[in-house]
Amino acid sequence: MPRLTIATRGSQLALWQANHIRDCLLAQNKDLTIELSVIHTKGDKILDVPLSQVGGKGLFVKEIEETLLSGEADLAVHSIKDVPMVLPEGLTLGAIPERAPFTDCLCSEKYASLDEVPEGATVGTSSLRRQAQLLALRPDLNIVSLRGNVDTRLRKLKEGQFAAIVLATAGLRRLGLSATHMTELDPKDFVPAVGQGALGIECRSNDAGTLELLARLNDSSTRTCVEAERAFLLGLDGGCQVPIGAHAVLADNGMVTLDGLVADTDGSKILRRQATAPAAQAHDLGVSLAKELLGLGADAILARLYGDGTIR
């Protein structure tokens, strides 16, 4: 009887994601035996420091990838936005399933929109990308770093530590969690993170059996869009903690439109452009849009953030 081990982080959301993929695989092959292996990553262990200050790419995947390479696990389920652009030799993304909602969500116990949040109010987020766009829209706000699991962040909101917090819509829906007021931020005004809402299933590139199983879970449209977004981030040499956003849409005519953003963390400068190309050129589209933004000054923004220690 085939047996698979899924490596996963131990957070409530990570376990939901791993169990979701487990259920999808079992629905296709009831003869499988699948167990979960919980791995504690560097990003999970350091909770008292802003993510951008912890340092390094792959904060939430490095230890998990080591279990794949050693053969202790057969596949790993990640939020694709946590996965570095370049995978270790011997590993591959075996599937990117259909994407969940990709938007950011403003959560509050008192205020139904960003405009209603009082001047000078404290808003929590762990993301420099969200911080930059919040301050671009509302420079008066006091943005405070907020770490922890989704339920922990919502608890702090309900305790009154924040007037509002910003979370990924997908995570809230997957866990069935909510606040009194939940407002999805329009991507026309608020660009999501690269790959937001999408899962990436990683496995060994020479594991033909697992690759065959995972191929059935792959969504080609989602994969094309995520490929464009990740190529944009790769072209900027950025990681998941950098103030970079991107979102791609695949039209019925086979054309991909990519919206890319690079921002100063204080929201004082937002560089944003769009470009379109055929789906087969998704990777090149992302790289070329990155080059365009670098030429417009994104290189100076990123160099300054790395140089002054904002990002490590």
Side-chain angles (χ1 to χ4, degrees), residues 21 47 71 83 100 139 160 217 226 307:
I21 296 303
L47 295 175
V83 180
L217 304 185
V226 169

Side-chain angles (χ1 to χ4, degrees), residues 78-201:
H78 307 292
S79 292
I80 196 74
K81 65 183 181 64
D82 293 331
V83 180
M85 301 307 103
V86 179
L87 302 183
E89 185 177 354
L91 298 182
T92 187
L93 287 172
I96 299 178
E98 184 177 0
R99 192 177 213 157
F102 55 82
T103 56
D104 291 290
C105 186
L106 183 78
C107 301
S108 178
E109 291 302 296
K110 296 181 179 180
Y111 310 109
S113 70
L114 187 60
D115 289 340
E116 290 185 15
V117 177
E119 184 174 349
T122 298
V123 176
T125 176
S126 64
S127 161
L128 294 179
R129 172 191 58 84
R130 290 172 179 155
Q131 172 183 309
Q133 293 186 91
L134 284 168
L135 290 174
L137 295 169
R138 289 286 308 274
D140 60 285
L141 293 176
N142 175 36
I143 307 298
V144 173
S145 176
L146 175 59
R147 295 285 313 278
N149 297 334
V150 177
D151 51 346
T152 299
R153 300 184 198 193
L154 286 171
R155 174 180 56 77
K156 292 180 178 180
L157 172 69
K158 295 178 188 297
E159 289 173 351
Q161 297 183 36
F162 300 90
I165 63 176
V166 181
L167 299 169
T169 303
L172 291 164
R173 292 195 185 180
R174 284 167 174 157
L175 294 175
L177 297 175
S178 63
T180 300
H181 298 285
M182 300 173 65
T183 305
E184 287 189 53
L185 298 172
D186 192 331
K188 293 179 180 177
D189 302 318
F190 212 90
V191 182
V194 166
Q196 188 156 305
L199 301 179
I201 310 177

